[in-house]
Amino acid sequence: MSLSKRIIACLDVRDGSVVKGINFEGLRDAGDPATLARRYNREGIDEVVILDVTATIEKRKALAETIQAVAREIFLPLCVGGGIRGEGHAEAAIEAGADKVGINTAALAHPELITTLARRYGSQAIIVAIDAKREDDRFKMYVRSGQQGTDRDAVEWAREAADRGAGEILLTSIDRDGTKQGFDCELTAAVSSAVPIPVIASGGAGSFGHFVDVFTEGQADAALAASIFHYAEHAVEDLKTHLHEHGIPVRLGALQKSELRSPKSE
Amino acid sequence: MISLIDYGAGNLTSVRKALAHLGVTATTPRAPADLTSADGIIVPGVGNFAVTAELGPDWRAAILDQVGRQRPLLGICVGMQWLFDGSEEAPGHAGLELLPGTCRLLTDETVVDERMDDSTSRVEGSAGMGRFKVPHVGWNSLHLTKQSWLLDGVDEGDQVYFTHSFAAPLTADCVGATRHGVEFAAAVERDHVGGVQFHPEKSSDVGLRILQNFLRKVS
């Protein structure tokens, strides 16, 4: 009995549809966010993240509708990120049904935003997203969807974000994102051991074994993935069974519980 | 009719949505006097214990009056902590004092409240994977400690979603315990007053079952 490692499905949403680059072939439509969320819920996903990959001003109304549609389908924690620039955007996301908001570029530009939002909504509602890339011996922080380098060290920034009131860190390895070569366990462990708050690892999930690695070697509290779940039915269930068999504490679905309890699987 | 108390502690949308899914419309009373028409009361909550100070003496009196009239009351997260004497998080703010005990910061050591009932058995230690972190965020299992209307139909080991840093002590009112560093009261009940530290509205089927149990107590 202990806190389960969380499996989080990320829905990259553009214009109301889920999109994801697959095998470097560019963005492909992976379907309706609410339909996917409903399937993941049935398969036992622990949490859902909606990442607005357009995040332009005119599209924010469409985002609110997407949040509402997903929130109607699932009784699970729901986080919304992408283009949250200030209190107004955070408020709109939370009013539409988000439990947490993820802030990235705006948090670095205005670190006091972390504290402002944490005071208003509680730390549990504020996730600071960090995109990091290996450079020499360190992990350098990038902003603007990985387009712009900064002079900040990712581990040091994670510590500051936690001090300022962030409730969780969503840590993405730019080097691994989309490669399916596995999470950057070294990066994840460096951040996870530096902060007292939970760390969600992201970027590089390609096999079930990668999740085992990031929960052991990487000391992650949660792991996030997108395409590994989008195109395979039952991937969430199968992943959780795999983790359970490898001694990682996970929340199993009702169906899995009964299967694991039945004599034939003993 | 369910009264969902709004004291500015974040969003009521999720709880309202879960109740709607179960076929119940919740109203938000504007004034303490509105509570007289409530069949049951839910006090939700996230964030700091100090925000419960928004519920001034007249709200407290109105809620306690309804509890005295046998109206079921459910506290969620900080709303559950508010049922107790108070919390170390905000020492100047008294709780509703319906249940004895003080909520404390989760720490990685075993502290057992002296009021712990002998019948409350202990859960096993954690698997020890990774560092102990606060806030306690995520899915953790319930150890059923007593016969309970609130947790009726919930199985030993069923998981629910937590996000909190402070927690209520193990007392005779505990019906479900969870361990994160220390073992704490995840669900409490005394007569028709119930409380859950986790978020039933975010705990998938198990959470909906628990809300359903509360609604059954109301009707």
Side-chain angles (χ1 to χ4, degrees):
Chain A
M1 287 219 191
S2 63
L3 185 60
S4 288
K5 298 295 183 180
R6 280 174 286 156
I7 303 298
I8 303 176
C10 183
L11 307 174
D12 296 287
V13 171
R14 191 177 63 179
D15 304 338
S17 282
V18 177
V19 292
K20 190 67 192 175
I22 296 295
N23 300 328
F24 313 102
E25 286 172 7
L27 294 175
R28 189 173 118 188
D29 193 337
D32 169 53
T35 307
L36 271 178
R38 192 187 315 138
R39 192 184 97 204
Y40 294 154
N41 178 46
R42 204 171 50 231
E43 294 183 10
I45 202 76
D46 296 317
E47 197 161 329
V48 172
V49 171
I50 294 175
L51 189 62
D52 181 17
V53 298
T54 44
T56 57
I57 292 158
E58 61 270 25
K59 297 287 164 53
R60 298 210 73 90
K61 192 166 172 290
L63 176 65
E65 284 162 11
T66 302
I67 298 168
Q68 284 164 4
V70 171
R72 260 197 304 273
E73 293 296 335
I74 56 165
F75 298 99
L76 295 174
L78 176 62
C79 175
V80 173
I84 292 183
R85 297 271 178 260
E87 258 191 285
H89 289 160
E91 184 182 352
I94 285 171
E95 276 185 0
D99 302 293
K100 316 178 184 184
V101 290
I103 47 174
N104 184 337
T105 309
L108 190 71
H110 309 285
E112 67 281 2
L113 179 65
I114 301 170
T115 315
T116 305
L117 291 174
R119 286 220 181 99
R120 180 159 172 198
Y121 297 107
S123 284
Q124 83 295 328
I126 312 306
I127 296 187
V128 169
I130 300 178
D131 296 336
K133 194 174 167 130
R134 282 170 184 265
E135 235 153 75
D136 303 323
D137 299 339
R138 57 196 278 259
F139 298 103
K140 199 168 134 176
M141 209 192 130
Y142 275 67
V143 291
R144 302 202 178 277
S145 309
Q147 299 301 303
Q148 188 185 319
T150 71
D151 58 359
R152 296 294 299 267
D153 178 79
V155 177
E156 176 250 328
W157 167 240
R159 216 178 267 134
E160 180 181 337
D163 287 345
R164 287 180 179 272
E168 292 178 74
I169 300 289
L170 168 55
L171 180 65
T172 302
S173 161
I174 296 174
D175 302 304
R176 299 297 176 89
D177 194 43
T179 66
K180 296 188 180 272
Q181 287 173 357
F183 296 94
D184 189 333
C185 291
E186 208 183 316
L187 165 69
T188 310
V191 172
S192 186
S193 58
V195 295
I197 57 176
V199 172
I200 304 163
S202 156
S207 73
F208 293 169
H210 292 153
F211 287 84
V212 175
D213 295 343
V214 83
F215 287 134
T216 51
E217 211 186 306
Q219 300 171 39
D221 301 284
L224 174 142
S227 46
I228 193 172
F229 302 135
H230 294 342
Y231 301 102
E233 293 275 341
H234 311 298
V236 178
E237 274 170 298
D238 295 344
L239 168 60
K240 287 202 164 181
T241 303
H242 183 87
L243 292 172
H244 175 79
E245 286 166 0
H246 284 75
I248 313 273
V250 287
R251 178 180 71 107
L252 297 172
L255 185 65
Q256 289 164 307
K257 274 198 313 191
S258 60
E259 277 171 3
L260 290 163
R261 276 174 190 166
S262 74
K264 70 174 168 31
S265 64
E266 295 287 315
Chain B
M1 196 263 294
I2 300 292
S3 280
L4 191 55
I5 308 286
D6 184 3
Y7 54 104
N11 92 73
L12 304 179
T13 317
S14 299
V15 178
R16 197 187 295 281
K17 189 166 62 80
L19 293 172
H21 179 81
L22 297 169
V24 171
T25 308
T27 59
T28 304
R30 300 266 166 244
D34 297 345
L35 279 180
T36 50
S37 57
D39 300 314
I41 301 170
I42 295 179
V43 182
V46 290
N48 193 296
F49 190 86
V51 296
T52 60
E54 295 295 320
L55 294 168
D58 41 352
W59 277 105
R60 297 169 61 97
I63 292 170
L64 288 171
D65 183 53
Q66 292 305 309
V67 171
R69 292 168 196 273
Q70 307 300 308
R71 301 272 189 269
L73 168 68
L74 178 67
I76 298 174
C77 195
V78 171
M80 161 182 165
Q81 296 176 11
W82 193 56
L83 302 176
F84 284 81
D85 294 331
S87 171
E88 282 180 350
E89 187 176 22
H93 300 281
L96 211 50
E97 297 168 348
L98 283 167
L99 307 175
T102 299
C103 300
R104 299 198 178 101
L105 182 67
L106 290 167
T107 49
D108 197 4
E109 55 185 315
T110 305
V111 180
V112 180
D113 193 277
E114 60 279 8
R115 276 180 294 258
M116 183 178 144
D117 186 2
D118 286 338
S119 67
T120 310
S121 55
R122 314 296 313 281
V123 293
E124 303 157 31
S126 68
M129 182 178 292
R131 280 180 58 203
F132 171 78
K133 291 186 177 180
V134 171
H136 173 220
V137 179
W139 297 81
N140 208 333
S141 44
L142 289 172
H143 169 53
L144 309 180
T145 56
K146 269 187 182 178
Q147 193 71 12
S148 157
W149 56 264
L150 192 56
L151 302 183
D152 178 52
V154 174
D155 290 332
E156 173 71 24
D158 272 353
Q159 298 202 12
V160 285
Y161 186 78
F162 292 88
T163 174
H164 64 122
S165 298
F166 288 77
L170 292 173
T171 65
D173 300 313
C174 175
V175 295
T178 296
R179 176 179 291 280
H180 185 64
V182 291
E183 196 180 10
F184 62 89
V188 291
E189 79 186 39
R190 178 180 285 201
D191 304 324
H192 52 288
V193 174
V196 286
Q197 179 59 63
F198 50 88
H199 288 271
E201 74 281 12
K202 291 283 143 192
S203 295
S204 200
D205 297 345
V206 176
L208 291 173
R209 169 76 196 209
I210 291 165
L211 287 174
Q212 182 76 67
N213 288 342
F214 175 73
L215 296 175
R216 203 169 289 146
K217 192 77 174 172
V218 170
S219 58

